[in-house]
Amino acid sequence: MDEFILKTRKDGTQITLKALQAKLLEMLKDIDVVCRKHQITYWLSGGSALGAIRHQGFIPWDDDMDIAMMYSDYCRFLEAVKDLDSNKYIVQSFETHKEYNVTIPAMKIRLKGTYCKEYNYLLRNKCKDGDGIFIDVFIVDYVSEDKKIDIKWRRKNTLLMVLIVLLENLHINPLRLKNKYVKNARDYGKMNQGSSLVGYDLTWCFTPVKKPIVYKKEDVLPVKYVPFEDTMFPVANHPTEYLNQEISVNHMSYPPKKEQQPKHMKDIDF
């Protein structure tokens, strides 16, 4: 596998993808210690989950790391995450920063002394206390088993998302809309407690309303630890079924060579 160069500095030194992945691995090891200490269940999601199953570590061209947890665990994690070394980490979320972009993952845990800028303009950081490399924390919550009800609620927040993004692009922090957006997600999860289905909560509206990422709860929980690089991290209980929903039914096949490239970081330094 080719080595990927993420940045060449003016002095000729380079930042490689492997160096970034080493930093992310170190970060998640610290997070895992906190979660184990407080008995908080989390699991690798997205490309990180695919990497664990297909590569027993990072996807060789992946330049980010994602984890997920149920909302009930996230509530406890908000307090537990304070155990992370404050000299090393910055925690950003709507609960800690009212300027936080609520349309992105619920929390970003950033490494101090580093810098990154994402390609995706809609996902840009609104917080002023750090632009370090990060691990995303997604909230998963209960989903209605009635498809019509699910679509109705997703449409509500998709429309709100558009308004929030438009106003924020005008440098307005629409707090009332953001509070409503988050409250809708919380109310929807609460009304579906006990459902057999779970999925990304309604603050993540970047998937089609009629094709959300939803799983059978039994395919996610309980989690299990699997090899990841030089350690072990948790993945969904039934990873094949999980990744069929999260990625595709062909998730074990490699994408075309031209797509095997880092895609998130526009600029980076550490």
Side-chain angles (χ1 to χ4, degrees):
M1 181 63 66
D2 296 334
E3 176 62 283
F4 295 101
I5 307 301
L6 299 180
K7 182 174 183 175
T8 300
R9 301 187 185 94
K10 291 181 179 179
D11 63 3
T13 58
Q14 296 178 323
I15 296 178
T16 65
L17 177 59
K18 286 188 181 299
L20 170 60
Q21 290 177 342
K23 293 281 189 186
L24 294 173
L25 182 63
E26 174 189 345
M27 293 171 70
L28 191 52
K29 286 178 178 179
D30 289 343
I31 294 168
D32 185 71
V33 168
V34 169
C35 287
R36 285 177 184 263
K37 174 183 174 182
H38 292 272
Q39 298 183 326
I40 291 170
T41 298
Y42 80 97
W43 60 91
L44 299 178
S45 65
S48 300
L50 178 58
I53 301 305
R54 195 173 68 189
H55 304 271
Q56 291 73 57
F58 288 100
I59 296 173
W61 52 90
D62 198 6
D63 58 352
D64 79 339
M65 201 163 206
D66 300 324
I67 65 173
M69 60 184 65
M70 295 295 293
Y71 177 63
S72 56
D73 282 302
Y74 178 78
C75 291
R76 295 191 299 118
F77 189 60
L78 284 168
E79 186 64 28
V81 78
K82 295 175 184 178
D83 283 359
L84 289 174
D85 184 353
S86 60
N87 293 316
K88 187 175 181 181
Y89 294 107
I90 295 169
V91 177
Q92 297 172 342
S93 70
F94 190 53
E95 292 84 2
T96 62
H97 298 69
K98 289 308 174 187
E99 70 273 23
Y100 189 76
N101 181 350
V102 293
T103 68
I104 66 176
M107 179 185 290
K108 286 184 178 286
I109 301 174
R110 294 185 181 271
L111 184 64
K112 290 185 176 181
T114 68
Y115 168 78
C116 72
K117 183 178 182 180
E118 294 183 81
Y119 276 109
N120 193 328
Y121 183 72
L122 293 178
L123 302 183
R124 70 193 187 283
N125 182 26
K126 303 291 177 61
C127 302
K128 307 301 181 185
D129 59 349
D131 288 299
I133 62 173
F134 57 85
I135 289 178
D136 278 326
V137 182
F138 286 85
I139 292 175
V140 169
D141 212 340
Y142 290 95
V143 172
S144 176
E145 296 171 10
D146 186 325
K147 189 74 174 177
K148 290 181 180 178
I149 292 175
D150 187 62
I151 290 172
K152 175 183 174 181
W153 279 80
R154 290 184 190 279
R155 280 178 174 159
K156 284 184 188 180
N157 262 23
T158 299
L159 291 172
L160 277 175
M161 180 188 73
V162 172
L163 289 173
I164 290 168
V165 169
L166 286 173
L167 289 170
E168 289 202 316
N169 284 342
L170 295 173
H171 306 290
I172 297 169
N173 185 15
L175 268 178
R176 286 184 63 187
L177 291 180
K178 289 163 75 172
N179 282 320
K180 177 63 175 174
Y181 184 76
V182 172
K183 184 177 184 300
N184 282 350
R186 301 288 75 81
D187 288 347
Y188 184 63
K190 186 176 181 180
M191 69 178 278
N192 292 303
Q193 289 286 321
S195 171
S196 65
L197 301 178
V198 298
Y200 286 130
D201 83 326
L202 294 193
T203 62
W204 184 255
C205 295
F206 288 97
T207 53
V209 169
K210 295 184 179 181
K211 293 184 179 180
I213 298 176
V214 174
Y215 331 91
K216 293 179 180 178
K217 184 182 177 183
E218 64 186 26
D219 287 338
V220 180
L221 299 172
V223 301
K224 57 186 178 183
Y225 275 72
V226 299
F228 191 99
E229 301 295 340
D230 63 355
T231 187
M232 305 276 285
F233 287 137
V235 297
N237 183 36
H238 298 146
T240 297
E241 289 78 2
Y242 179 85
L243 289 169
N244 283 346
Q245 297 297 318
E246 182 91 357
I247 307 296
S248 84
V249 294
N250 299 314
H251 60 263
M252 293 303 287
S253 299
Y254 282 31
K257 184 70 175 179
K258 64 180 181 180
E259 296 179 15
Q260 297 178 22
Q261 298 286 333
K263 62 181 181 180
H264 294 96
M265 300 303 169
K266 186 175 183 179
D267 193 14
I268 190 167
D269 210 353
F270 50 77

